[in-house]
Amino acid sequence: MFARPAPGRRPATAAALLSLLAALSTSARAATEDGGPAHRERPAAVSRVPSAAGSATPLAGFAVQSTAKVGDPAAAVSSPGYRTTGWHPAGPRSTVLAALLADGVYPDPFHSTNLSKIPRKDFDVPWWYRSDFTVEDTARRTHLDFSGVVSAADVYVNGHAVAGAADVTGAYTRHELDITPLVRPGANTVAFRIRPNNPDADLTMGWLDWLQPPPDRNMGIVRDVLVRRGGPVALRDAHVVTRLEVPSLATADLTVKAQARNDSDEAVTAQVTGRVAGTAFTRDVALAPHETKTVAFSPADVPGLRLASPRVWWPAGMGEQPLYDLDLTASVAGTASDTAHETFGVRDVQAPLDADGARQYRINGRKLLIKGGGWSPDEFLRWDPGYAADRLEYARDLGLNTLRLEGHIEPDEFFDLADRYGLLALPGWECCDKWEGNVNEDGSGEKWTDADHRVAKASMAAEAARLRGHPSVISFLIGSDAAPDATIERNYLDALKAADWSVPVIPAASEKSSPQLGRSGMKMTGPYDWVPPGYWYAKREGGATGFNSETSAGPDIPTLDTLRRMMTPAELETLWKDPGARQYHRSPSSVFGTLKIYDAALTGRYGAPKDLTDYVRKAQLAQYENVRAQYEAYARNATDADKPATGVIYWMFNSGWTSLHWQLTDRYLDQGGAYFGAKKANEPLHVQYSYDDRSVVVVNGRHEPAGRLTARATLFDPDGTQRYDRSVAGVSVDGDGARRTALTLPASVSGLPATYLLRLTLTDEDGREVSRNVYWLSTAPDTLDWAHTDWYYTPTSRYADLKGLASMAQAPVEATAATRSSGNMSTTTVTLRHAGSGKTPSLFTDVHLVDDRGRLVLPVRWSDNEAGLWPGESVTLTATYRTADLHGSAPHVRVSGWNTPERTLPAG
């Protein structure tokens, strides 16, 4: 767990580049009085390109500068030896603003309103990206291979134009440029003149209402630029088409395909050899000058490509995640000309519509409730493999099985990680900007030209070829809020078919239809702002029925630690005192610009906050109960005979910046009520309460059935007075998401106050507790005003009365902690014990791992957290983390709770 670089770090392969960037940045700032870049030459790293056949070397980095500050012609800028005095170093994947931030030009854009102070006009002109590479052998053919240009670029090599912005346009289109005649021994130069980005006019990436948009609108190059070397015959588009026998899983047929392309002026015969799953194969392919042929190997001609007892790939929690390797070589006259390597998984994905028209996913023949979250990349599209891995680990820790990528489709490494971790991915095009310009009347995107249709089809072809081999990818959504029209859909489907796309294609994330694919089987009915926990149990709007592609109760206020990192003291005062104030860290949208709806509910249910600390602790309590209810409702309803729930995507899993809404974990990977509410709800074997009918239900997310369980429900006053207690033994429940109602709480209980507590426990036949769940409820529940439902929420006409929680007496909790380390990982074990002599429980007891200066140690994976303890009860929690994240300090734990005083103790 977390055995990778910490957030903000890079793997060793990039360490030298980052050291160079840091050194350049430091020396440049020292050379100027105002801290800006020094006006001297600061070259980007030079990439050494080997001559080996099949090598693909990413450019190590760029020097970047605004064309407003470069008066020299393109031929000069793109020639070796050109002096880059005053330019800024950039990484191999970098937007303009990301480069300037790394160079120290602007202060932390995640703090306060710093982002708004960066001048937008600086990015209204093109910017140069310049990089040098060296080769020794010019007898090899050389190609530039790249995508990820935002929004378009003119491309030059060694002083010569090789492509124009009319062709190199669109963030997802892939380009291969033959630069063999221009390459010389020694130093060579590639230069891109990047055009400004406008998501409403360009088929690229935009942000809508997720966050305050970056001033450069992400212009730059955000994927690797590869320099490929090879002989006369190139191998391209290598992939494996798999067909798994379902439901037996007894056999799998593999079909290997690749394009053999003769780049020479002479006819040649290429020998294509390969190996996959222990089976070798070979074929001679005759190619005329500049001819391309498809080479295919199938079980019909290579029997070994029919696998008996294949190693099947499963989502996390359902099985293992084995992967296979494909290796191909093309040789001419006995000399290797090119090679290809691909990794793939064997699995089957189906997603038919159920009887109610909802999309129901089946993986390897087994039904699966999609429990997911919306993925956000970094706001400046900075790719950090360690940080990405940490977030994916968090998703798996929460019991999620799916991440939806609405646009902003991440680099290859993201999907490699998803394959390894068993996390499913739902990539697709984004809403409301140019991608939906022809079909979304409520969006801001411009209408498409003929050229846009070509770019869109090329984008689909490139992404299909890139993603098809990843077993984690289980669909592509060719529409978001709107579905494509007939022409756009036909182009997308033609591109997908040509790429041998084998998993379902979904017309939209909303309840829309397209001419060929028909109904989407999904709904996008919200909510996106606060609703009470009981909302999720209604089978209407965003409630737990069908497949909800994006939904949550909106604001997710971070912990106090994170808030103090992202906002000034004055902003924090406004945060808790003024519900109607515009919150810069919420959204640029007029709908989501304030916390008015959320704050009204917080005050109406829990009482007005007394200060910032009180506001934040009430927020964590509210977010825990709401997120828990959302996932619990969908899990409970997944096996219903009538209008079952088939999927839910929490909007969102994470944020690309320091945010006040739509996040289960914050920018810094701290964990609060939303995080642990999701973790609790998604336990593999779980006991839960239903807000609609008071049933106590056991949900079994494991494959194997569970039996001989005892479910117990106990009701308490906030002071700990017991009002009701019932146990039911002999509870059994089937696997694969099945549920069993253990008991139903009575409609009324004598003496129960307006605010009360419910403790649920589930024990096995040996009396061991396997699930525990504590609720705070009201005899005066929330009342929804369904008649006035809007697209983003349903109003609440009466709030539940939870103010009685404020009267809870202080409850002492003793804590002991110890730490053991192994390799680069540490585990801290914390035992909490309610040591009080009275009746009052300790509610929402939280533990944070800190160093000896009180700074959070992140990321961390807790076995559980935010627990409820009654007098005499104890619980043992474990925290797993990288030892290096202590920065040489001894570990400590900070313990606090709703009614437990905060204290910190050593955990060495």
Side-chain angles (χ1 to χ4, degrees):
M1 176 67 186
F2 302 124
R4 298 170 305 283
R9 301 179 186 175
R10 302 295 196 277
T13 54
L17 174 60
L18 289 181
S19 297
L20 173 64
L21 296 183
L24 289 171
S25 178
T26 301
S27 60
R29 287 194 295 271
T32 57
E33 291 184 356
D34 63 0
H39 294 291
R40 63 181 181 81
E41 187 172 3
R42 305 161 69 202
V46 177
S47 307
R48 297 186 62 183
V49 176
S51 297
S55 64
T57 305
L59 296 179
F62 297 90
V64 305
Q65 184 57 279
S66 169
T67 57
K69 297 182 179 180
V70 179
D72 297 318
V77 173
S78 61
S79 293
Y82 179 79
R83 295 180 64 84
T84 54
T85 302
W87 288 44
H88 305 275
R93 309 169 184 175
S94 179
T95 66
V96 172
L97 187 50
L100 299 181
L101 290 169
D103 202 21
V105 175
Y106 304 113
D108 180 7
F110 292 135
H111 180 71
S112 186
T113 58
N114 287 348
L115 185 65
S116 68
K117 299 170 186 175
I118 299 174
R120 168 81 174 271
K121 62 180 178 58
D122 290 352
F123 311 105
D124 289 338
V125 298
W127 279 66
W128 279 111
Y129 275 57
R130 188 185 184 283
S131 187
D132 293 328
F133 68 92
T134 63
V135 300
E136 296 180 1
D137 178 10
T138 57
R140 292 285 191 186
R141 302 200 67 82
T142 306
H143 292 83
L144 281 183
D145 185 345
F146 59 91
S147 64
V149 173
V150 182
S151 66
D154 304 299
V155 187
Y156 300 84
V157 174
N158 291 343
H160 297 270
V162 294
D167 296 314
V168 180
T169 183
Y172 300 103
T173 54
R174 185 173 178 180
H175 310 276
E176 186 177 5
L177 307 177
D178 188 345
I179 60 172
T180 304
L182 301 176
V183 173
R184 62 190 69 171
N188 296 267
T189 299
V190 177
F192 294 81
R193 185 164 54 202
I194 304 291
R195 302 291 179 90
N197 183 37
N198 180 353
D200 288 333
D202 305 311
L203 290 168
T204 53
M205 303 179 193
W207 291 100
L208 191 62
D209 50 9
W210 297 13
L211 44 71
Q212 299 291 349
D216 71 338
R217 296 192 280 191
N218 294 135
M219 68 183 296
I221 302 176
V222 297
R223 293 183 183 169
D224 286 339
V225 177
L226 302 175
V227 182
R228 292 190 178 274
R229 307 299 306 284
V233 173
L235 285 174
R236 296 293 184 264
D237 200 36
H239 62 285
V240 179
V241 180
T242 66
R243 187 179 66 82
L244 177 64
E245 183 68 26
V246 175
S248 72
L249 312 184
T251 63
D253 287 354
L254 310 182
T255 300
V256 177
K257 291 186 176 182
Q259 299 288 319
R261 186 183 71 207
N262 181 7
D263 288 331
S264 74
D265 296 328
E266 306 291 335
V268 299
T269 296
Q271 184 182 61
V272 178
T273 61
R275 177 175 289 273
V276 63
T279 295
F281 42 87
T282 186
R283 181 172 302 151
D284 289 340
V285 182
L287 296 167
H290 302 288
E291 182 183 15
T292 299
K293 286 184 179 179
T294 298
V295 184
F297 303 90
S298 72
D301 48 273
V302 183
L305 294 180
R306 170 161 290 169
L307 306 183
S309 302
R311 294 181 290 122
V312 177
W313 187 96
W314 290 95
M318 296 179 71
E320 301 299 319
Q321 292 80 46
L323 297 171
Y324 287 88
D325 293 301
L326 165 69
D327 289 289
L328 292 176
T329 300
S331 301
V332 177
T335 300
S337 179
D338 201 3
T339 63
H341 174 82
E342 294 293 325
T343 301
F344 65 98
V346 174
R347 56 89 179 93
D348 178 82
V349 180
Q350 303 295 327
L353 301 182
D354 67 14
D356 300 298
R359 191 71 59 177
Q360 172 66 71
Y361 278 86
R362 292 189 176 95
I363 308 296
N364 302 329
R366 282 162 53 184
K367 283 186 178 181
L368 175 69
L369 171 67
I370 296 295
K371 298 184 294 183
W375 176 268
S376 175
D378 172 75
E379 174 168 4
F380 309 109
L381 304 184
R382 297 171 293 191
W383 174 250
D384 182 329
Y387 184 50
D390 288 340
R391 285 179 288 166
L392 288 173
E393 288 274 20
Y394 269 20
R396 190 167 62 172
D397 179 52
L398 289 179
L400 304 185
N401 55 32
T402 305
L403 293 167
R404 179 183 166 215
L405 290 80
E406 186 197 356
H408 307 91
I409 305 175
E410 292 278 38
D412 295 342
E413 295 94 330
F414 173 91
F415 298 97
D416 292 337
L417 288 168
D419 292 344
R420 195 169 83 208
Y421 293 160
L423 287 167
L424 304 175
L426 290 174
W429 305 129
E430 64 194 53
C431 88
C432 310
D433 54 19
K434 183 60 176 277
W435 287 100
E436 295 187 346
N438 279 22
V439 293
N440 190 338
E441 296 179 357
D442 298 323
S444 55
E446 296 178 5
K447 298 295 184 182
W448 288 18
T449 64
D450 289 343
D452 292 323
H453 282 276
R454 291 192 293 272
V455 170
K457 185 175 182 179
S459 299
M460 186 73 265
E463 288 303 284
R466 190 172 72 92
L467 299 177
R468 65 192 165 196
H470 289 284
S472 57
V473 176
I474 58 168
S475 277
F476 199 95
L477 281 70
I478 58 174
S480 180
D481 288 32
D485 61 25
T487 300
I488 297 172
E489 180 190 37
R490 182 174 63 253
N491 286 337
Y492 284 156
L493 294 180
D494 287 349
L496 287 159
K497 182 179 179 180
D500 290 322
W501 189 259
S502 62
V503 296
V505 181
I506 311 300
S510 63
E511 197 169 359
K512 298 292 176 64
S513 301
S514 60
Q516 289 190 54
L517 295 174
R519 298 174 62 179
S520 70
M522 295 191 173
K523 65 179 184 179
M524 192 185 286
T525 47
Y528 299 92
D529 213 323
W530 191 87
V531 292
Y535 172 96
W536 303 106
Y537 292 84
K539 290 196 174 185
R540 55 181 299 177
E541 276 73 36
T545 182
F547 194 122
N548 199 337
S549 68
E550 51 179 64
T551 187
S552 74
D556 285 303
I557 304 300
T559 64
L560 198 54
D561 299 274
T562 290
L563 286 171
R564 285 173 172 156
R565 292 180 70 174
M566 62 187 266
M567 299 172 77
T568 66
E571 290 166 344
L572 292 174
E573 280 289 292
T574 300
L575 176 66
W576 74 271
K577 285 183 176 179
D578 188 356
R582 293 285 300 182
Q583 293 292 341
Y584 186 72
H585 284 267
R586 185 157 190 218
S587 171
S589 162
S590 59
V591 175
F592 303 121
T594 75
L595 291 165
K596 189 174 181 180
I597 296 170
Y598 177 85
D599 286 353
L602 209 62
T603 295
R605 300 172 90 240
Y606 290 99
K610 297 177 292 185
D611 52 29
L612 176 63
T613 300
D614 190 45
Y615 176 81
V616 174
R617 75 186 194 118
K618 287 174 176 173
Q620 302 312 314
L621 209 63
Q623 288 153 199
Y624 185 101
E625 61 165 339
N626 214 313
V627 174
R628 175 179 59 182
Q630 179 174 337
Y631 282 112
E632 285 182 339
Y634 272 83
R636 189 201 69 174
N637 290 0
T639 54
D640 282 0
D642 178 52
K643 296 183 179 178
T646 61
V648 60
I649 302 295
Y650 187 90
W651 202 249
M652 301 180 63
F653 167 68
N654 68 302
S655 179
W657 81 322
T658 41
S659 180
L660 295 172
H661 76 164
W662 297 348
Q663 57 189 354
L664 294 176
T665 180
D666 67 35
R667 170 69 195 177
Y668 305 113
L669 301 182
D670 199 3
Q671 305 148 319
Y675 186 97
F676 290 111
K679 182 176 174 68
K680 177 60 66 176
N682 293 322
E683 288 177 323
L685 183 60
H686 180 63
V687 62
Q688 64 186 58
Y689 168 75
S690 304
Y691 282 79
D692 58 343
D693 62 9
R694 305 179 311 283
S695 61
V696 174
V697 175
V698 179
V699 177
N700 184 11
R702 298 168 178 164
H703 181 51
E704 299 299 327
R708 299 181 181 179
L709 303 170
T710 298
R712 182 181 181 186
T714 313
L715 299 178
F716 300 89
D717 293 0
D719 68 3
T721 301
Q722 182 174 308
R723 299 290 182 179
Y724 175 87
D725 186 47
R726 185 184 172 195
S727 294
V728 177
V731 177
S732 62
V733 56
D734 291 337
D736 294 331
R739 75 160 194 257
R740 175 64 58 87
T741 298
L743 61 98
T744 299
L745 297 180
S748 63
V749 174
S750 178
L752 202 63
T755 303
Y756 62 97
L757 302 175
L758 167 63
R759 183 185 64 194
L760 300 179
T761 60
L762 187 69
T763 53
D764 63 16
E765 60 183 320
D766 296 320
R768 289 188 296 259
E769 192 172 273
V770 295
S771 179
R772 180 185 183 88
N773 215 343
V774 177
Y775 295 79
W776 37 102
L777 303 167
S778 176
T779 55
D782 300 287
T783 302
L784 286 152
D785 182 7
W786 293 106
H788 290 92
T789 295
D790 207 332
W791 66 269
Y792 61 97
Y793 89 120
T794 296
T796 302
S797 57
R798 186 182 70 175
Y799 296 114
D801 183 359
L802 301 174
K803 298 180 185 66
L805 296 180
S807 67
M808 294 179 70
Q810 291 287 290
V813 173
E814 293 178 346
T816 58
T819 298
R820 58 178 174 82
S821 298
S822 177
N824 63 347
M825 302 300 296
S826 290
T827 299
T828 294
T829 301
V830 184
T831 298
L832 305 174
R833 180 178 179 275
H834 189 314
S837 58
K839 298 182 298 182
T840 305
S842 169
L843 183 65
F844 213 62
T845 308
D846 175 85
V847 187
H848 264 72
L849 188 73
V850 298
D851 64 15
D852 54 14
R853 295 172 57 186
R855 298 173 301 184
L856 295 181
V857 177
L858 296 170
V860 60
R861 186 184 70 176
W862 286 96
S863 58
D864 195 7
N865 214 322
E866 297 178 345
L869 293 173
W870 269 252
E873 290 185 335
S874 64
V875 64
T876 298
L877 312 176
T878 59
T880 308
Y881 54 97
R882 288 186 290 264
T883 307
D885 289 336
L886 286 165
H887 304 293
S889 166
H892 291 67
V893 290
R894 188 180 69 204
V895 181
S896 62
W898 175 260
N899 58 327
T900 299
E902 180 181 306
R903 68 189 185 99
T904 301
L905 63 147

